[in-house]
Amino acid sequence: MDRHQSALALVLATQPELPVHCLRPDAARKAAAFFMRNFPGEVLYAVKANPHPVIIDAVYAAGLRAFDVASMPEIELVASRCPDAKLAFMHPVKSRSAIRKAYFEYGVRIFALDSLDELEKIIKETNGARDLHLVARIAVSSDHAQHKLSGKFGAVGHEAVLLLRQARSACEELGVSFHVGSQCMRPDAYRAAMQTVSDLIRQAQVTVDIVDVGGGFPVAYPHLSPPPLKDFIAEISAAFESMPVLENADLWCEPGRAICAEAGGHIVRVELRKGDALYLNDGAYGALFDAAHDGLVFPARVLRAKKGPRRRLKPYRLYGPTCDSIDTLEGPFMLPSDIHEGDYIEFGQTGAYGAALATRFNGFGDYIEAIVEDAPLVSVYGESEAPENVVALHAAAGRG
Ligand SMILES: *Cc1c(COP(=O)(O)O)cnc(C)c1O
């Protein structure tokens, strides 16, 4: 893969015709190291947030050895690069053949589930294995998350109690897990979820060996300034210590976004300007999906050689390249007032759920990939370019 000193150097040297995924593996390594240093338990990287081999290798290089995987391709990917990795198959609904293959061919022992029917499938397809680690996914509130995940998975109430009891009798280790929703803005959301889980464990009267608090750890975007990650970790530690129902349980977390967001930037080109609107060569069906569907605002900067007079920043709406009107990124994105056709823009924080979500709709979706060696636009783990537009937008939104 091509390597460049910086995103700007890449643009100047290559004038890319296609959008460019910029990978900053060092940022993923730093983020993984931060979690392993600060989280008082085991850290699993949630592969779906960014399955790029460069990112997998970077978190592995940081010493991380456990991965939350959700499909056979994710299992094959991690197993091929990290032979000693611990794989946790955390999708609550798996095909029978995937269960069989994961267990017998890849040595997977950790399986998530949220129903008795899935429990039956796992028992049957592993030939009644006695060494299973079963993790019951519990439904919890995702009121404080930017991206809700509560609708689809998770056992509730009496059904959860039954699941815990039945799973207990079929496994070597029993875990409970939840997901507070992605980009969770409040540390106490984890405490509330752990309270829900405690109540269910008490009702089920089972011994639990693993408490997995899932992902959801937030990163900074121009319009979202979450509390520091250490506050989330402190809240989780305190809540874990005060779960009376546990005797000797392990604590796990599964960050995705917080590990890889800073490790990706995305370079696009302005194909046309119409007043306050910019038409770009990537958008909602590409690596900027979340800016359209979740209303996320990515930090952005224009990549220009000349250090001319600094231009005033102004708000823009962005359009992606497809013919669908959903392909609109409302933003607002703060960019120089004189931006014009042919300018290149780099978005930051696109390492999480960026390239991983890109489609080939309307003939788009071809990308260039490159490793760049400059700092991410925004960083809580290391130095950053600290673009003025992030600050400007905070001020504009009155959120400091
Ligand atoms: C998506 C997902 C994660 C990662 O979530 P983030 O919000 O990116 O941290 C972790 N665990 C499970 C089960 C997931 O589905």
Side-chain angles (χ1 to χ4, degrees):
M1 189 179 309
D2 275 3
R3 194 176 264 278
H4 295 266
Q5 223 169 48
S6 66
L8 176 60
L10 182 157
V11 160
L12 296 180
T14 69
Q15 297 290 305
E17 203 31 55
L18 295 170
V20 186
H21 292 327
C22 295
L23 291 153
R24 293 185 173 90
D26 203 45
R29 190 184 54 69
K30 280 191 183 128
F34 171 89
F35 268 90
M36 285 189 299
R37 207 165 49 239
N38 291 287
F39 188 79
E42 180 144 38
V43 181
L44 291 79
Y45 172 52
V47 172
K48 81 168 184 291
N50 189 333
H52 198 288
V54 164
I55 302 297
I56 303 287
D57 292 355
V59 300
Y60 187 84
L64 189 146
R65 291 292 178 274
F67 294 83
D68 161 359
V69 286
S71 63
M72 274 322 296
E74 287 186 358
I75 289 174
E76 284 158 10
L77 168 72
V78 177
S80 73
R81 308 195 78 82
C82 320
D84 58 341
K86 170 159 128 184
L87 298 171
F89 202 164
M90 299 309 279
H91 198 305
V93 183
K94 298 162 285 301
S95 79
R96 287 178 178 276
S97 71
I99 296 167
R100 240 180 358 256
K101 208 164 170 193
Y103 183 88
F104 289 107
E105 289 178 35
Y106 290 88
V108 175
R109 294 296 176 265
I110 308 163
F111 293 88
L113 71 169
D114 69 355
S115 68
L116 291 174
D117 288 341
E118 185 76 5
L119 177 60
E120 288 304 320
K121 280 162 62 182
I122 295 171
I123 294 171
K124 172 114 194 300
E125 298 308 323
T126 60
N127 299 342
R130 301 308 305 170
D131 58 355
L132 295 170
H133 296 195
L134 297 179
V135 182
R137 172 86 172 258
I138 306 296
V140 300
S141 158
S142 57
D143 286 353
H144 300 298
Q146 183 72 9
H147 186 94
K148 319 276 182 234
L149 290 170
S150 56
K152 189 168 178 185
F153 298 126
V156 290
H158 182 59
E159 171 195 305
V161 170
L162 280 182
L163 178 63
L164 287 171
R165 286 194 189 134
Q166 297 277 331
R168 175 75 271 176
S169 65
C171 68
E172 181 179 313
E173 293 206 3
L174 178 64
V176 285
S177 75
F178 54 81
H179 201 300
V180 293
S182 203
Q183 183 69 13
C184 177
M185 296 298 286
R186 288 185 47 172
D188 59 3
Y190 289 87
R191 179 182 289 275
M194 289 160 93
Q195 185 62 51
T196 303
V197 164
S198 284
D199 291 345
L200 293 169
I201 297 172
R202 187 176 304 109
Q203 288 173 50
Q205 294 181 299
V206 293
T207 312
V208 162
D209 308 293
I210 301 153
V211 175
D212 176 0
V213 300
F217 299 91
V219 302
Y221 296 96
H223 64 314
L224 291 171
S225 309
L229 285 173
K230 283 189 172 164
D231 291 4
F232 285 81
I233 292 173
E235 186 87 19
I236 290 167
S237 303
F240 181 65
E241 290 305 322
S242 64
M243 281 174 82
V245 290
L246 303 176
E247 278 158 34
N248 210 357
D250 294 331
L251 181 64
W252 294 3
C253 69
E254 305 166 341
R257 184 187 303 275
I259 298 266
C260 58
E262 291 180 8
H266 198 61
I267 301 174
V268 302
R269 190 172 60 190
V270 178
E271 306 294 16
L272 191 80
R273 173 173 176 177
K274 276 189 199 167
D276 295 344
L278 305 177
Y279 290 74
L280 309 178
N281 62 349
D282 202 18
Y285 287 93
L288 305 173
F289 179 98
D290 274 351
H293 300 274
D294 261 358
L296 272 193
V297 182
F298 295 111
R301 63 174 165 181
V302 71
L303 296 170
R304 285 181 184 157
K306 301 183 280 299
K307 287 272 184 228
R310 189 181 274 185
R311 297 293 169 177
R312 198 167 51 81
L313 297 176
K314 67 184 286 293
Y316 291 90
R317 177 183 336 119
L318 308 177
Y319 292 119
T322 73
C323 301
D324 189 338
S325 58
I326 292 173
D327 200 353
T328 303
L329 323 179
E330 282 299 337
F333 293 83
M334 301 300 286
L335 288 160
S337 54
D338 66 341
I339 200 160
H340 53 74
E341 187 214 335
D343 269 332
Y344 287 94
I345 297 169
E346 183 189 3
F347 296 101
Q349 303 291 49
T350 58
Y353 307 110
L357 298 179
T359 75
R360 304 196 56 81
F361 179 51
N362 227 174
F364 298 97
D366 279 332
Y367 296 107
I368 296 163
E369 289 180 349
I371 291 177
V372 293
E373 291 166 350
D374 53 347
L377 271 75
V378 184
S379 181
V380 296
Y381 305 108
E383 56 190 271
S384 74
E385 299 289 322
E388 55 187 317
N389 57 356
V390 174
V391 178
L393 203 61
H394 279 171
R399 293 196 196 133

